Amino acid sequence: MNTMAPAPTLMTGADYRESLRRSRPRVSVDGRWVESVADDPALQPGINAVALTYDFAHQPQYVPLMTATQHTSGRTVNRMTHLSTSAGDLLNKLEAVRLICQETGCAQRYLTHDALHAIAQLSARLDDASGRREHGDRFLDYLHRVQDQDLTLGVAMTDAKGDRSRRPHQQANPDSYVHIVERNAKGIVISGTKAIVTGAPYMHELLVMPCRNMGEADADFAVCCAVPVDAEGLTIVARPAGRPGEKLEHGDALFSRRFGQSTGVCLFDRVFVPWERVFLAGEWEHSGHLTYSYATHHRQTCIAARAGFGDLLIGAGALMCEANGFDPGAESQLREQMVELITIVEGFFACGVAASVYGRRDEHAEVFMPDPVFANIGKLLLATKIYDMHRLAHTVSGGLIVTLPGPDEDHNPETAGRLSDVLRASPDVPYEQRIQAARFIEDLTAGYQGGWYSVISLHGGGSPAAMKQEIWRHYPVGDKVDLVERLLDRGLSADPARAITRNRQPGRCCDTGCTQPGQAMMIELPTNTKATKSA
């Protein structure tokens, strides 16, 4: 291993945009073919969001958080491509994601981080099972290329699925799932459909991964590989990112005109993948572990992403209180609503912190895995509380956020002056600032973008049912039963046949103690940056 870390060679946001111009993926948006992803107006809010993850890695105040030293190469890399090897790394990743999502709402590039960890764990597990280093060496070669080129990777995991009651091999249309259709000495050929791929049009490559635990009959569907977005045979049918282009003269959406997220349906039609980009090809016994590992990493990361969004609601809610003439500190009813919003956001974020602190080294790989109980509890809380977050923002803001006349009236000489007089509330806050805050909250919670945030929070990273299953599967109920059994002096908890005593978790707040977590790099979160204004 190289112990001398060279100077960073990380891309900027402008470099990222230029790198997109060098590829020509086949992308359709709103029924038309996109000539240049980097320059298409419908995709700019998503590109802006990803570009910020590059720019922040060059801002001196964020460098300690947004970059890290990769232990396998000694190179300085972007935090979004770094493999965590300590609890401190996991916590720094959490803080980094919250930081960039405070600016963008959803920065998307963190999926790169989560998928690389899952594939690292898979590769080590495959090598331990075979007694060789083939898979680990292949993954490290790929990882170092991704880090050296500072790439952004999309995650193509969710298949179209077809009839949900049938296994992949039972589908009438086998292309409901991505699967291997041919193997040869040079690589594999895949076909099928991935239905929900975040940021697909403006990724550099897609990491194809199985979305479920495969059985032996589904071996051809147990495939994980890396595919460039402009690979021959790949078509991306995408939706616009955010709300670009709406009412450009006066009424463009205050937030989602600048930041948003595209998602794409990815159609693979006999796409060739060379062996050096293949990480799983039919080893069905390991598909469930890959899916579980990715889900655990991603659910913890989602906690930070939605905390960043929550920061936007907290700040906007306070601004609306002020613009309406109220001080939440002096008005108990408003203070209660604001504190409830703060409690929700910081409550699920605290679960992400706990998942970091109690993270553990994977038994096969050097990477650290977030604690699955806290990761799933935090994600479940944000998935179900997102609607309460919107409700609380609406409560402290008032009905003005959806009843305010349209932005064109601000430029109507016959109505603008009168509206400015009668719709001003606090004498200390100009009318323009009050309606700007109202329209900002409308954009985030009551319009198209607000509905999008609700659904993506509920189902992104898995359904609430999946999280509840993982919480029950990993929570040490048996330890709690032991506690009560000891107090009752019954001595019955040692029976291995009892279902409620199967789950145990020694090492957390118990007699065996806890490992010392890696030191986290804590920095103050931003109040304003030049990057925000120029994005």
Side-chain angles (χ1 to χ4, degrees), residues 17 48-49 51-53 55-56 59 61-62 99-105 254-255 257-259 312 440 525-535:
R17 288 184 172 87
N48 289 342
L52 208 68
T53 70
D55 285 334
F56 270 21
Q59 294 199 17
Q61 69 270 37
Y62 302 143
L99 172 68
I100 55 182
C101 289
Q102 284 179 331
E103 299 285 332
T104 64
L254 292 180
F255 184 81
R257 73 184 181 195
R258 299 165 58 204
F259 296 115
L312 294 174
F440 185 87
L525 297 176
T527 55
N528 199 2
T529 68
K530 293 181 180 179
T532 302
K533 296 177 181 178
S534 62

Side-chain angles (χ1 to χ4, degrees), residues 24-39:
R24 282 289 182 267
R26 181 175 167 83
V27 176
S28 175
V29 176
D30 285 340
R32 59 178 178 80
W33 295 109
V34 173
E35 182 176 347
S36 171
V37 166
D39 302 299

Side-chain angles (χ1 to χ4, degrees), residues 6 9 21 25 41 83 100 131 157-158 224 232 254 414 439 456 466 471 492 522:
T9 55
R21 294 188 179 97
L83 293 186
I100 55 182
M157 173 173 270
T158 304
C224 177
E232 184 177 355
L254 292 180
E414 297 183 18
R439 287 175 178 147
I456 205 69
I471 292 167
L492 300 177
M522 304 294 291

Side-chain angles (χ1 to χ4, degrees), residues 249-269:
E249 185 179 356
H250 301 308
D252 44 342
L254 292 180
F255 184 81
S256 56
R257 73 184 181 195
R258 299 165 58 204
F259 296 115
Q261 178 187 123
S262 174
T263 54
V265 175
C266 295
L267 306 171
F268 296 83
D269 184 10

Side-chain angles (χ1 to χ4, degrees), residues 355-378:
S356 301
V357 173
Y358 291 123
R360 293 185 176 186
R361 184 184 183 275
D362 182 88
E363 62 178 320
H364 300 280
E366 294 185 70
V367 302
F368 256 54
M369 183 79 157
D371 177 84
V373 173
F374 284 117
N376 280 279
I377 290 176

Side-chain angles (χ1 to χ4, degrees), residues 94-124:
L94 201 74
E95 295 283 1
V97 171
R98 184 171 186 171
L99 172 68
I100 55 182
C101 289
Q102 284 179 331
E103 299 285 332
T104 64
C106 185
Q108 303 155 70
R109 195 184 181 195
Y110 50 73
L111 280 84
T112 300
H113 170 280
D114 301 336
L116 289 174
H117 279 71
I119 299 174
Q121 292 172 254
L122 167 73
S123 300

Side-chain angles (χ1 to χ4, degrees), residues 18-97:
E18 191 59 37
S19 71
L20 295 180
R21 294 188 179 97
R22 292 196 290 270
S23 68
R24 282 289 182 267
R26 181 175 167 83
V27 176
S28 175
V29 176
D30 285 340
R32 59 178 178 80
W33 295 109
V34 173
E35 182 176 347
S36 171
V37 166
D39 302 299
D40 195 284
L43 301 174
Q44 290 310 301
I47 293 172
N48 289 342
V50 175
L52 208 68
T53 70
Y54 288 95
D55 285 334
F56 270 21
H58 291 272
Q59 294 199 17
Q61 69 270 37
Y62 302 143
V63 166
L65 197 61
M66 290 301 301
T67 65
T69 301
Q70 174 58 38
H71 73 283
T72 58
S73 66
R75 292 186 65 84
T76 299
V77 302
N78 192 291
R79 178 71 64 179
M80 298 300 103
T81 67
H82 178 244
L83 293 186
S84 298
T85 57
S86 70
D89 268 344
L90 291 176
L91 187 54
N92 286 332
K93 178 264 298 190
L94 201 74
E95 295 283 1
V97 171

Side-chain angles (χ1 to χ4, degrees), residues 126-138:
L126 286 167
D127 279 346
D128 284 356
S130 66
R132 301 194 304 270
R133 284 289 310 162
E134 174 187 356
H135 293 90
D137 290 344
R138 181 183 298 172

